[in-house]
Amino acid sequence: MAGVVRRIWGARPPLLDVGLATGCATVAILVGREVHQQWLPFDATAYVLTVLANAPVAYRRRAPVAVAACCAAAWLVYISAGYWPALNVYGCLVAFYTVAERRPRRVALSVGAVGAAIWFYAGLLAEEGSMATVLAMSIIFTGVIWKFGDNARQLASRNRELAEVTAQLRREQADRAYRAVIEERMRIAGELHDVIAHHTSVISVQAGMAGYVFSSDPDAARAAIGTIADTSREAQHELRRMLSLLRRRPVAADEPDTYVPAPGVARIPDLVERVRAAGVPTELVTCGQSRPLPPGADLCVFRVVQESLTNVLKHAGRASATVTLEYHPDRFVASVRDDGPGAHTENATGSGHGLVGMRERAALYGGTVTAGPRPEGGFAVVLTLP
């Protein structure tokens, strides 16, 4: 107990509370020095009791109930000694307000009841005055102080809840930003996979063919090496485009925008020609009236066709392929079909990263991707976008 008291009273009180306690004690002393009939004169004992009834207010924030008890006890002794009762009520009211502000209602009401009882006791000692007036003052003054303190407590509680909600919102916002960064990294990883997988597959096929015919057919070997060079340059351009997109800053009004757009349906003929040059007979068929697609869907079509043709190069063996672009009034369909001897290993089960990536791309734009072996042989990938 002694340690608790030392911890409470040994700490430095706020300057505002020190001023408040000093002001209450000063006003009480100045008023107490005036002559009050019926009551004892303001002597040294009154000075001490007045200081004890007001000085604890300086520590009201650290121990509200203890301060209220000290002020009430000093006030009760002051009244019982025969001094003017109304003198030391200031410190008690301030202490009671602090209890109502910082403690639960049941504690505040208990402290308020004690204060009202002391006030009523002081009225019993007065020779003059109406008991109805004393009772009304003790109840009304105590009730008003309690109401102000309770409102302040509720406001502080709402402010704490608001601060907690704000902190939670900030954490959720940071979490959403973190997840957005992760999703963007995954998207970039998918782009890199599509670019590198396709171009390295073409390079691998052409390099193998060049090595195979290097001595017997130098012209075919040179053509394969030329295809390798063109494919490598295109891969570098695509990687450079992605890096420029990541590093791009806003372009000023007077600066030319040198940003190269992402590949789309317009570049599928070049893609087909490259696969054809790699040794896979590939045909491009367009059905319906062609029209531009939104940029995201345009890139989605190109990547799905690119990934499908890459799988033809890697898995279909000696086969031919057909790329079909169908423009319907309410949807767009792109399909890649080959007549290879067997199903693609990773796509046949639907668990390969390539097929998963294609389905995720299509889902971003409300589309679907279906893939599987064809009844007549070979494999088919069909992309449908609304």
Side-chain angles (χ1 to χ4, degrees):
M1 184 65 181
V4 175
V5 173
R6 283 195 301 269
R7 186 164 59 253
I8 294 175
W9 306 114
R12 180 177 298 178
L15 185 61
L16 177 63
D17 291 343
V18 172
L20 184 60
T22 303
C24 290
T26 301
V27 171
I29 290 173
L30 292 177
V31 175
R33 294 177 61 182
E34 299 179 3
V35 177
H36 302 286
Q37 296 179 354
Q38 176 189 346
W39 310 104
L40 295 178
F42 199 79
D43 53 14
T45 302
Y47 272 100
V48 173
L49 292 175
T50 298
V51 171
L52 292 177
N54 294 278
V57 170
Y59 296 89
R60 66 189 183 94
R61 300 177 195 268
R62 297 186 178 276
V65 177
V67 168
C70 291
C71 293
W75 186 33
L76 181 60
V77 173
Y78 183 87
I79 295 172
S80 300
Y83 298 103
W84 186 35
L87 188 59
N88 285 319
V89 71
Y90 312 118
C92 290
L93 292 179
V94 172
F96 174 52
Y97 169 84
T98 307
V99 173
E101 178 194 17
R102 293 176 172 264
R103 293 296 181 264
R105 285 182 175 177
R106 62 180 183 276
V107 176
L109 291 175
S110 300
V111 174
V114 173
I118 296 176
W119 201 314
F120 185 75
Y121 170 68
L124 293 177
L125 298 180
E127 296 178 355
E128 299 179 356
S130 170
M131 291 305 302
T133 302
V134 173
L135 183 61
M137 289 177 61
S138 63
I139 294 176
I140 293 175
F141 283 8
T142 303
V144 169
I145 295 297
W146 172 80
K147 183 60 178 176
F148 276 108
D150 189 67
N151 288 345
R153 181 186 60 80
Q154 294 183 52
L155 179 61
S157 178
R158 286 194 292 268
N159 289 339
R160 286 192 298 270
E161 293 176 357
L162 181 60
E164 293 175 359
V165 171
T166 302
Q168 179 65 23
L169 289 176
R170 288 175 178 172
R171 288 192 295 268
E172 292 178 357
Q173 184 178 13
D175 183 64
R176 285 195 298 269
Y178 175 77
R179 283 188 276 113
V181 170
I182 295 299
E183 291 173 359
E184 182 65 12
R185 289 178 179 177
M186 294 298 294
R187 187 190 67 80
I188 294 172
E191 290 285 326
L192 288 173
H193 168 269
D194 293 342
V195 171
I196 295 174
H198 172 74
H199 291 86
T200 54
S201 295
V202 174
I203 291 172
S204 175
V205 171
Q206 292 295 307
M209 186 179 70
Y212 182 74
V213 301
F214 188 78
S215 300
S216 59
D217 192 350
D219 292 338
R222 279 192 292 271
I225 293 174
T227 302
I228 291 174
D230 294 339
T231 303
S232 299
R233 280 193 295 270
E234 184 171 348
Q236 290 176 349
H237 291 162
E238 288 218 40
L239 291 174
R240 190 177 297 114
R241 180 192 65 81
M242 293 182 62
L243 292 176
S244 66
L245 176 64
L246 293 174
R247 298 172 179 172
R248 189 185 182 201
R249 61 178 176 81
V251 179
D254 56 347
E255 292 182 2
D257 191 352
T258 59
Y259 171 67
V260 179
V265 175
R267 287 186 53 186
I268 289 181
D270 298 334
L271 187 62
V272 169
E273 184 61 33
R274 186 186 312 117
V275 175
R276 187 183 295 127
V280 177
T282 307
E283 181 182 2
L284 176 61
V285 178
T286 301
C287 303
Q289 182 64 39
S290 64
R291 59 183 181 273
L293 300 178
D298 202 31
L299 175 61
C300 174
V301 173
F302 180 85
R303 292 303 186 203
V304 169
V305 173
Q306 184 185 55
E307 178 70 18
S308 301
L309 290 176
T310 300
N311 289 334
V312 172
L313 283 171
K314 294 185 336 186
H315 304 295
R318 300 181 61 85
S320 61
T322 300
V323 178
T324 305
L325 306 178
E326 303 175 27
Y327 293 89
H328 298 277
D330 59 344
R331 69 187 187 281
F332 174 83
V333 179
S335 61
V336 178
R337 295 178 173 86
D338 67 73
D339 56 2
H344 302 180
T345 301
E346 72 162 346
N347 287 342
T349 61
S351 60
H353 293 294
L355 181 57
V356 172
M358 285 190 271
R359 285 175 173 163
E360 289 179 350
R361 281 183 181 277
L364 287 175
Y365 305 101
T368 59
V369 169
T370 58
R374 302 170 61 196
E376 62 272 24
F379 200 84
V381 176
V382 180
L383 165 67
T384 303
L385 293 175

